[in-house]
Amino acid sequence: MSRISFPRSSGLYNGSGTMRKGFGMTVTLASAAQLLKRHGLLREIIRADRWTLDAHDIEGADTAFSAITYDTRDVREGTLLCCKGRFKAEYLHDIDERGLAAYVADTDFSAETGTPGLIVNDARKAMSLLSAEFYGRPQDELTVVGITGTKGKTTTAYFTQAVLNAHSHGKAALFSSVDNCLDGHTYVESDLTTPESMDAFRMMREAADNGMKYLVMEVSSQAYKVERVYGLTFDVATFLNISPDHISPIEHPTFEDYLYCKRQIVRNSRALVLGAASDHADLLRQDAADAGVPVTTFELLDGQSPAGSDAADVTASPANAEHSAYRIAADGADLGEFRLALDGDFNYANAAAALAIAHAAGIDLTADAAATHAMEPVRIAGRMEQFHEPAVQHAGDRRLRAQLCLRDRAARVSSTSGSARSTRASRLSPARPATRRTTGARRSSKRRSIASTASSSPPRTRTPNRSSTSAWRCNGTSPCPASRPPSSPTARAPSRTRSTTPERTPTGSTSSSSSARVTNAGSRTTTSTCRSRATTASSSACSPEPPKRTNR
């Protein structure tokens, strides 16, 4: 793979894609026209009444563009504007006065601007090619990993980045649906699963300038549907699985269209990692064979077959009956026992996929145990969240907590025996137990460092809402926070320790202990539980009290 040297600088870019002058690969009207011709996209160049295929018929054809953008609000002197999507002519009002140098579009806008227009067959494809060229083809300086599939993209991406980061001493970047990381340790909230092509190449440029050697990115079906990764070849592509999803008039009209879009990653890669148990795996193997792409497979075993069997190149199988640990093997070599911070058997399939990716990227898994195990403490915001209560230290604490919980239950029973008006619940909108919604979707967009390894930062904790007494129902074995007197020195609020989960959590696929309840990631709505041991041997579960109804 060729390498191109560029000067490294922090703060290289300002808003939406403008690069500092004097940096990067020179793109002119003439060079842009030649690039688009090579890809069969250029129809003609139009400036006022002049129509031509030779850019040198236009004055200033060899003048370098100083910036590139797809947002007219960011146009300044020397800017190349890409008109994509539902672009309207009115957006070009007074654009010449702001310094527009040229535009790329699939429609002639010469009535609105006197600048030359590169008229193309597909503006999105043209934008991707021109963006890569403008930012100096940063993909050639990185080992780029693309991950697609219906389930598990985010978790696998984080696992893979952790392994590659450990192997390269912090030189792995990340594009994901949760966060983007361009320096190996700082994570900034993302807007799209796969960025718009111009944004993707800009961020690749920044990652390369930050000294990154690897880039792990999620690749959605929409990324191929709307040409966000057009012209990008992945060093390692990963196809995890496929099932019907995103099928609608505004996304994919049919499952066939959905699968076809995802299959494009195979033909645009140098190596493929494939889930051996994926639906339509045979078709994907045929795609790889037609494109001459080598395939590495991974699989989650059920425990009946030993790890290292010929089922797949990388396998994961339960290490114990509780499935709290798995053994992973690559090419028959045992890589050891793995205990992930994320619950769910399917997460061990994601872990196997991450190691298969590292293997396909040329990493010797047997020689770098620290790298292979680097994914064990990985946590992801909004994924497979667990809530743990602190251990009870003294018998006196247990007795006090039991008394408080029993008093709380008695108070609720007494309050529900009052007037009919106070106890009657509406049939149309019945009262529901109080819950706490915890999602990782909309968090602060400011820069932050989050944990990719256990040593990065302490776990974050949350305290339950103590104002909702109806949300707690206790067995007399641990404190109900709502009934705990504030002045009590032993009435400690239970903490919730946040860990992480993949984008989809199949119902019933997680395991939980008596001190933690794992919730479904689809709704990400969690209800606290309250468990401990009373002075007596008997105990019962503590769960939200169901709503009471009164028939009229």
Side-chain angles (χ1 to χ4, degrees):
M1 185 184 301
S2 62
R3 294 288 187 266
I4 304 174
S5 298
F6 292 88
R8 292 174 58 183
S9 172
S10 61
L12 189 63
Y13 311 98
N14 48 34
S16 86
T18 301
M19 183 182 289
R20 285 182 177 175
K21 292 184 179 180
F23 176 86
M25 188 171 291
T26 300
V27 177
T28 66
L29 183 68
S31 66
Q34 286 298 319
L35 176 65
L36 297 175
K37 279 183 183 178
R38 288 199 303 270
H39 287 267
L41 293 173
L42 183 66
R43 286 156 55 175
E44 62 269 335
I45 307 171
I46 300 176
R47 182 172 190 177
D49 294 333
R50 182 144 185 108
W51 296 42
T52 182
L53 287 175
D54 186 358
H56 288 97
D57 292 341
I58 306 295
E59 183 181 355
D62 293 322
T63 301
F65 298 119
S66 63
I68 186 170
T69 185
Y70 55 81
D71 190 336
T72 56
R73 295 169 296 183
D74 295 315
V75 170
R76 62 209 57 157
E77 191 69 31
T79 298
L80 173 63
L81 173 66
C82 296
C83 307
K84 68 177 182 69
R86 299 176 181 177
F87 192 87
K88 298 179 181 180
E90 62 194 63
Y91 298 157
L92 297 174
H93 181 66
D94 293 334
I95 199 96
D96 291 351
E97 286 75 6
R98 286 185 275 144
L100 180 68
Y103 67 91
V104 180
D106 48 24
T107 301
D108 174 23
F109 291 115
S110 58
E112 285 74 28
T113 175
T115 59
L118 294 161
I119 311 305
V120 296
N121 294 319
D122 192 315
R124 288 184 176 275
K125 289 181 179 180
M127 183 176 75
S128 185
L129 294 171
L130 292 170
S131 298
E133 203 74 9
F134 184 85
Y135 289 111
R137 295 188 59 80
Q139 68 269 34
D140 294 340
E141 303 173 57
L142 301 163
T143 297
V144 184
V145 175
I147 301 173
T148 196
T150 302
K151 304 172 184 176
K153 294 187 296 298
T154 300
T155 304
T156 303
Y158 272 81
F159 284 168
T160 303
Q161 191 215 13
V163 173
L164 297 179
N165 241 349
H167 175 74
S168 63
H169 307 289
K171 302 297 184 182
L174 172 72
F175 297 170
S176 83
S177 58
V178 176
D179 293 297
N180 295 325
C181 175
L182 305 182
D183 60 3
H185 59 85
T186 304
Y187 295 76
V188 180
E189 182 182 357
S190 62
D191 295 319
L192 296 170
T193 298
T194 307
E196 194 64 76
S197 60
M198 189 180 294
D199 299 325
F201 287 111
R202 172 179 54 81
M203 291 191 294
M204 287 183 202
R205 175 76 268 151
E206 187 172 346
D209 291 340
N210 286 336
M212 298 296 101
K213 296 180 179 179
Y214 298 94
L215 168 64
V216 181
M217 60 184 294
E218 295 183 48
V219 184
S220 64
S221 58
Q222 285 292 306
Y224 279 105
K225 186 77 171 176
V226 296
E227 310 296 353
R228 290 178 193 159
V229 289
Y230 183 79
L232 177 62
T233 299
F234 295 98
D235 294 292
V236 180
T238 306
F239 199 107
L240 300 173
N241 49 61
I242 191 72
S243 59
D245 201 359
H246 301 288
I247 299 172
S248 71
I250 61 173
E251 291 185 278
H252 300 281
T254 63
F255 174 73
E256 187 278 333
D257 182 72
Y258 173 59
L259 174 58
Y260 178 75
C261 287
K262 284 194 173 292
R263 286 170 54 200
Q264 301 314 299
I265 197 171
V266 179
R267 296 182 178 275
N268 289 282
S269 65
R270 298 184 176 93
L272 174 66
V273 171
L274 174 64
S278 173
D279 290 346
H280 304 286
D282 291 340
L283 177 60
L284 295 164
R285 290 177 187 272
Q286 291 174 347
D287 286 338
D290 288 347
V293 175
V295 179
T296 300
T297 57
F298 70 92
E299 187 174 12
L300 182 70
L301 303 180
D302 57 7
Q304 302 300 319
S305 302
S309 70
D310 59 358
D313 299 307
V314 179
T315 57
S317 59
N320 53 43
E322 294 77 20
H323 290 207
S324 61
Y326 270 69
R327 300 200 74 85
I328 299 180
D331 292 333
D334 187 10
L335 301 180
E337 186 173 289
F338 291 75
R339 292 179 179 271
L340 300 177
L342 305 184
D343 282 320
D345 290 354
F346 53 88
N347 275 322
Y348 287 93
N350 296 331
L355 293 180
I357 292 168
H359 180 62
I363 296 176
D364 186 352
L365 301 178
T366 59
D368 196 346
T372 58
H373 287 266
M375 60 186 168
E376 288 183 288
V378 167
R379 298 172 177 177
I380 309 163
R383 265 49 177 185
M384 290 297 290
E385 297 188 309
Q386 298 180 1
F387 303 99
H388 299 279
E389 291 187 62
V392 177
Q393 300 296 327
H394 305 289
D397 290 347
R398 290 195 293 267
R399 285 192 294 271
L400 176 60
R401 294 184 182 193
Q403 292 170 4
L404 292 173
C405 290
L406 290 173
R407 188 185 72 176
D408 178 68
R409 176 183 291 181
R412 286 199 304 273
V413 171
S414 175
S415 65
T416 57
S417 62
S419 65
R421 177 174 298 179
S422 64
T423 59
R424 184 177 300 118
S426 170
R427 293 184 181 183
L428 297 178
S429 56
R432 294 177 296 174
T435 59
R436 181 177 180 87
R437 184 175 297 276
T438 57
T439 67
R442 295 290 93 194
R443 302 175 311 284
S444 171
S445 61
K446 65 182 180 180
R447 286 179 174 268
R448 68 191 189 284
S449 293
I450 64 175
S452 285
T453 62
S455 61
S456 299
S457 62
R460 288 168 285 184
T461 61
R462 292 183 176 179
T463 304
N465 184 354
R466 287 173 287 184
S467 63
S468 303
T469 59
S470 61
W472 297 82
R473 182 181 179 186
C474 191
N475 59 354
T477 60
S478 68
C480 291
S483 62
R484 187 180 300 116
S487 60
S488 173
T490 60
R492 298 187 298 271
S495 64
R496 296 180 175 183
T497 302
R498 174 173 176 167
S499 83
T500 57
T501 110
E503 47 276 271
R504 294 190 175 267
T505 309
T507 302
S509 62
T510 61
S511 60
S512 61
S513 65
S514 62
S515 62
R517 180 175 178 182
V518 182
T519 63
N520 186 289
S523 64
R524 300 194 184 114
T525 301
T526 61
T527 304
S528 301
T529 61
C530 183
R531 289 177 180 269
S532 65
R533 189 175 304 278
T535 54
T536 61
S538 62
S539 65
S540 60
C542 175
S543 60
E545 184 175 6
K548 293 181 173 58
R549 294 191 180 186
T550 308
N551 294 328
R552 300 183 64 179

